[in-house]
Amino acid sequence: MAGPTIATALARGRNGFTGLRLALALAVVVSHAFSVATGAAGDEPLARLTGYTLGEHAVNGFFAVSGFLVTMSCDRRGLRDYALARALRILPGFVAATVLVSLLLGAAMTRLPLSEYLRDPALWSFVRGTLTAFKSNAALPGVFEANPYRAPLGTIWTLKYESLCYLGVLLAALCGLLRRRIPTLLIVAGLAVALTAAIAWRGPELPKGLETVLRLPLIFSAGAGLYLWRDSLRVSGVVFAGLAVAATLLARTPAYPPLLFLAEAYGAVWLALGPMARGLFDPRADLSYGIYLYGWPVQQSLHALWPEPSGLALLAPALAVTLPVAALSWYGVERPALALKARALGRRSLGTIEPAGP
């Protein structure tokens, strides 16, 4: 039996987007447990099985959900309200994480005397580069020097792509493209063809950066397209299974990655709006952004303090520390920013569907 249209599923009110984002953020932390102690992300079983780590699959899900919800946000709001909403959802938590990690965690973990650490130009270069360019590979002076990875905010690189995608939605709205469905279809098809061609051209030697430049906008655009075609497309497990089977059958061809990413984009929306959404945990507090921001520095710190255990052995302690920190981020920074946004937009409610960047 065919499922309801996406528009009908949205109109029901209850959905699983918040619970899904929480699961995706936790998946990123689990994925990093395989590499934080070794520096070898390819050791993860899922990477060997699918070609991508659990963390990469989770980021794909984040971008699909973001494309869907952010496009909906822009469609339902004016451009000024959209820009304000995006800034107040992303920037406060990001700025707070940068300040706390560089000035508090860094000061606690550095081998340098505190006065020397605070005077070190590399500290302020880190803060500047992080806040202005989303640099995720920069190191703090004297911090995590023995770790395989030195970066204390290794996950924020995705926020650069997320912000560019937000800008793309804004430009599309200015050009009136959100009222037309065909341009989004052409964008998704163009990115899929470009990624397939790049893989066919370079094969395994395709630079990861080039793949990412095509992968994340493709998935975001697919999520946006699912929203814009909501009156025609249905929430169907059969469709998701068909896409997954097609990707599996073409696993050894250049078409595999685009099909996999499209399957994941559709699958994320299907999980959030389909029959399974009723069983998804729907927390009132959206801890996903805080988990995504702080999971990596917590894991890095635990490995620096106890280098002998594996990352997996430190996973439970990492989650035990990350979850309360994420709650502090939500209640102390993100939720107040959402309240400010609600007041600025003339609303009493904070709203329940408000995506943060991965």
Side-chain angles (χ1 to χ4, degrees), residues 26-36 38-59 149 296 299 312:
L26 291 172
V28 170
V29 177
V30 172
S31 179
H32 287 157
F34 287 91
S35 60
V36 69
T38 66
D43 290 343
E44 184 183 313
L46 199 59
R48 294 192 292 269
L49 180 65
T50 67
Y52 299 91
T53 67
L54 175 62
E56 288 175 314
H57 289 297
V59 168
Y149 299 108
W296 178 257
Q299 288 175 296
L312 279 175

Side-chain angles (χ1 to χ4, degrees), residues 97-110 117 140 143-144 152-153 294 296-302 305:
T98 302
V99 171
L100 291 173
V101 167
S102 59
L103 297 184
L104 292 184
L105 179 65
M109 297 297 297
T110 184
Y117 176 77
L140 287 169
V143 178
F144 303 147
L153 282 171
Y294 292 101
W296 178 257
V298 167
Q299 288 175 296
Q300 284 278 75
S301 300
L302 290 177
L305 293 171

